[in-house]
Amino acid sequence: MAIGRLAIVLTVSAWAVYVAFTIEQQFIEGKADSARLVIEAIVYLLLITGLATSAMAYLITRIGFFYRSRAHTRAPRAVLDAFFDQPAAPVTVLVPSYQEDERVIRTTLLSAALQEYPALDVVLLIDDPQNPTTSRARALLEDARALPGAIMAELAVPAGRFREASEAFERAVAGGAGRATTADDVRELAGHYRFAVEWLHDLGARHEVIDHTDVFFVDHVLGALAADLDTVGEALAGAAEAGAVLPGERLLQLHRRLTATFGARVSSFERKRYRSLSHEPNKAMNLNSYIGLMGGSYREVRTPVGTALVRSAAHLADLTVHDPEYVLTLDADSMLLPEYAARIVHLMSQSAHSRVAVAQTPYSSFPGAATRLERISGASTDLQHIVHQGMTQYDATFWVGANAVLRKRALDDIVEVDYDGDFEIRRYIQDRTVIEDTESTIDLGVHGWSLLNYPERLAYSATPPDFGSLCIQRQRWANGGLLILSKLREQVRARRTRGERNRFGELFLRVNYMASIFWSSVCLVVMLFYPFNAELLNPLLLLVSVPYFLMMAGDLRATGYRRTDVLRIYGFNLILLPVNLSGSFASILQLITGEKSAFKRTPKVRNRTTAGAVFLLAPLALIGFSAYTVVVDIQAQHWGHLVFAALNTALAMYAMVAFVGLGNTAVDLWVHLRDWLYRPVEPRRQPRADGGSRPSGAHRAVQPRPAGPAPAADWASVLHYGLPEAQGAVAVGPAGATEPDGVLVPAPRPAPSDEPDDSAVVAAFRDFIFFTVFQPIVDLATGEAVGYEALCRFADGRAPQDRLDAANDRGIGADLDGALLRASLAAAVSLPEGVWVSVNVSPALWGSPRELFSIVSRSACPVVLESGTSTGESDVSPGDLPVGVRVALEHPLVGYDSFRWVDERRPAFLKLGRETTAGIEHDAARRALLGALVPFAEERGCRVVASGVETAAERDALRESGVQLGQGFFLGLPAPARVLDRPAPGLVEAAPTR
């Protein structure tokens, strides 16, 4: 620590002296006697300051690391066992995976499942495409799906044994009999520990060892756990031999430890199976999709656009997701040491850390890398572990996404809710940038939460084994920091509002973490390529940089590397300059255009990944230019700059040879040249012999069509299900018939003579495929659904009114209106008995009452026609309505006009909009008007319906005002008719607020 402080003092002093000397020399003495030389001097001072700032940040954080390491006290094992005497806080481990090798996922899942934690669920979030197009992708998906079951079957043997032993001991000692413990109890428990050790050794012996990650898993995950349990077992055996008897409470703790270690539940989940979840191609939304389901029960509902998850009562659910207190996120190529969960959760459960949202141990690299590039990349990762630990000393911790324990309550504080149609999309972890964990760190700080790094190495992660995959990873790391930087101001303002102090050290380290990749890369590139005035070079510059490199060399030695690796890391960073600049410029481009950068996953394959042509040519250009600079410096006798240029040339050349390889470089450049020169043309698909097209689903059986002309499709069928020829749909049957997927098929109707033929229908309505959902209208007193409003949703996700406007522009708006109404009434056949269906009617349909009444008269359930106050329904007398058909008048805001419209129109229902219900619990005037309107309307045979009810407070205020019927997201979400075959209260209780 003393040497570290001296390095900081020396760096600051050397920088200050250099700046003072240069100002005096260039500006006071006047050596900068032209505008160009003045600008060069100023820019050079800024460059040196930027690089010195990054060096200072490293030196400061390593001092913080020493402070934290010195103050850290490890909780004894007995303290952890006593902590778990109380019911443990549930933890769910989420492992996002995308086309990972089965061997990689297996070690990750096992390292998570073998955590010494008593209430653990491990969920593999499989993000592979649902319909793989290659045999390899199909095999990866099948392996991933089968893996959780295989692991559960493997764990069942020790888990069952230890569970039975623990329950038997608890009944005998802690039960009603309450007998005293004996030496035999100790001896029996020692035998269970020996069995656990043997089982772990057998598992390690059966594990296929291919590379150093497998060696680490066998030695440091299975081996460490086995050694720990073996030590306890030997101690128990020794106590039994000596005739010692341990207290029953301690023996029960040791029984429970075995049960907890082998009792994890392992399962999988695939968000891409469900249309109701986000399919954004990034890790953040894979995690968000599952976290958003926590604490709910869901039914799988098949819709024309895919399967959806709809909230339901627990006893009707196909899927129930527990709501844990903590969420542990773990990358699919990472591993946890056995005590990770126990120690982190124990830490977060202490009162001193009640406002800690994220606790983690920044990951380290797996030791024993086989390639030079992987070893040097791992060295930089291990240095970052020191940096992140030191940042915690100054409250500048960042969430590093490879592993972390997240407090679910903190995630609920920062959640953002969007909607994709009627499907709720919840964002806990931001995906605006490709470094989602960094942005979420700032969001948590804005809401008053803190983060903490546990001062031990308890998690390890793989580093890319080749230059191509490393480029993808480092480009992603460099992209986003500049975008998030502005959010830091929000955190500063939020802290001031709460009366908290903003520390300079925290702000300095956060800004450096998010922006230093950009400014350091720019500074270095400018210094490499621009021929600055030679007089700006000074031996003092060595004193600015040498302490930084000396301290880094010492840290490398302390973490198991060689001191000379500091030069290799410098060369490594030289050839990564174009990668870092590419990521930074992508961030700036997103800032200008607002278009989100594409998320690129780091490839984890055994074969080498081809590196981008720019990332190969740019380092070669740097080497060539540096070599040219050496020649120029020799001719001009610029000996100081010559040393700098020669060092860069030698180290960059070494890095290209050692980390990329000349052969690999040539092969990758040839691949890019070949792809640029030769682009193969894919052959056109030959039409099938029968003239049809391939079915859309691989698992759908399409019945052969009978000879003769195909049956004519009616309007509703074409719009509701798309084009039968294009989608492999079966022919439309009689009313109530269903397709193989269980979706209701509306009945065909004879086409009037003035309607277009089938080919015209197909051409006109190709862009207007839709499906129907129903939202309950409930009795506010009982929660029972008395009716349902039919809502049409278009398959392209656009708003219904937008599609109707587009149809009007094409001259087919009235036809589309009629088709929507027919499809809604046809789908309403599946609604529960005894309810009515409410449908929206456009002015065009009100203007054609004969067509309108022809459609609604065929409905199998009572119909309510909804219209606005300005539509043509006023021209239709109640006596003209078909039997079982009533009218609802839509009037958004309660007011004096509401009384006039009810008195003049005499509708069966008056439907008030969100303008009335929003915040009504705080508006006495609105409640008074509503309290007068309800009895006035009832005297005239009209019932008031409040729509847009989104909170319990709004529901209660409406009920107190006399309103009997309500509709809204709080009372029930829109869902297809097939899921609405149970009473509504189950939906009402489970439905979330908007």
Side-chain angles (χ1 to χ4, degrees), residues 11 39 54 96 106 203 208 210 340 613 616 666 699 807 814 822 883:
T11 301
I39 294 174
S54 296
R106 176 181 171 81
L203 180 62
E208 182 183 12
I210 295 178
Y340 180 98
L616 296 171
H699 302 292
R822 290 188 188 93
V883 177

Side-chain angles (χ1 to χ4, degrees), residues 143-204:
D143 289 344
R145 286 172 171 171
L147 192 55
I151 292 177
M152 281 297 292
E154 203 152 23
L155 291 173
V157 176
R161 170 178 174 145
F162 301 146
R163 189 182 306 111
E164 292 176 4
S166 177
E167 291 171 355
F169 178 78
E170 190 168 5
R171 285 194 302 269
V173 176
R179 70 169 176 83
T181 57
T182 65
D184 289 337
D185 294 326
V186 180
R187 189 174 294 106
E188 181 182 353
L189 182 56
H192 291 312
Y193 271 81
R194 280 195 297 270
F195 178 85
V197 172
E198 292 170 0
W199 186 88
L200 289 168
H201 284 158
D202 178 66
L203 180 62

Side-chain angles (χ1 to χ4, degrees), residues 1 61-74 385-393 453-457:
M1 293 177 68
T61 52
R62 69 188 298 274
I63 289 291
F65 165 76
F66 293 140
Y67 276 121
R68 299 201 69 239
S69 299
R70 184 176 65 180
H72 175 58
T73 301
R74 204 167 195 263
H385 177 91
I386 295 175
V387 169
H388 281 285
Q389 292 287 5
M391 291 173 73
T392 299
Q393 177 69 21
N453 285 320
Y454 188 74
E456 294 184 24
R457 292 182 184 267

Side-chain angles (χ1 to χ4, degrees), residues 42 107 130 629 676 735:
I42 294 174
T107 55
Q130 290 294 294
T629 305
W676 179 61

